[in-house]
Amino acid sequence: MPPNPTGPTNIQLRMLIRFLRKAAKSNEAPIWAYVADLLARPRRQRVAVGLGKLNRLVNDGDVVVIPGKLLGNGRLQKRVTVAALAASRSAAEAVVKSGGRLVPISNLVRENPKGTNVKIVI
């Protein structure tokens, strides 16, 4: 019988973590290694950020990474680019309605490999 697995068992999440670590090393961007470490936590320790908190912490035009789930509670009144592991349907609609973008984390890494001007919301 194999030992209990450590870390996430979701294969897509494991591939994302591996991709982030490789991107951090090849681009000399420690922000992606930090995001990978946050995603490698147990599920109960992952963050869940509401739109109200996001609205308080960001400015117009910011690029934000959420290493967890974006929830639809609160209001978002700023145009931001959000990369999250997951997002509720109402949160995704609110981001698009406010003029922002919701992208997967891997696409954000491809767009901005150095991670310049990227904020992490935890």
Side-chain angles (χ1 to χ4, degrees):
M1 185 169 194
N4 290 336
T6 58
T9 56
N10 182 338
I11 191 67
Q12 284 93 9
L13 181 56
R14 291 176 75 133
M15 289 173 55
L16 176 62
I17 292 169
R18 191 175 311 128
F19 172 74
L20 286 169
R21 290 201 170 118
K22 284 182 182 180
K25 195 174 221 182
S26 65
N27 298 315
E28 296 177 359
I31 186 169
W32 302 129
Y34 183 59
V35 171
D37 291 341
L38 292 173
L39 289 173
R41 289 179 173 178
R43 183 180 302 167
R44 65 184 174 275
Q45 291 181 2
R46 260 186 240 133
V47 297
V49 177
L51 291 173
K53 180 178 181 179
L54 187 64
N55 194 48
R56 285 192 313 271
L57 296 176
V58 299
N59 299 318
D60 276 335
D62 281 350
V63 179
V64 178
V65 173
I66 299 173
K69 188 165 185 174
L70 178 63
L71 301 175
N73 54 346
R75 291 181 21 177
L76 182 65
Q77 300 168 339
K78 299 172 183 166
R79 296 181 66 174
V80 293
T81 300
V82 180
L85 181 62
S88 67
R89 182 177 295 142
S90 60
E93 290 171 359
V95 169
V96 172
K97 186 178 175 185
S98 70
R101 296 188 314 146
L102 183 65
V103 297
I105 295 174
S106 57
N107 288 0
L108 182 64
V109 174
R110 289 184 187 101
E111 290 174 11
N112 189 353
K114 291 286 187 186
T116 54
N117 298 324
V118 174
K119 294 181 179 180
I120 301 173
V121 176
I122 51 176

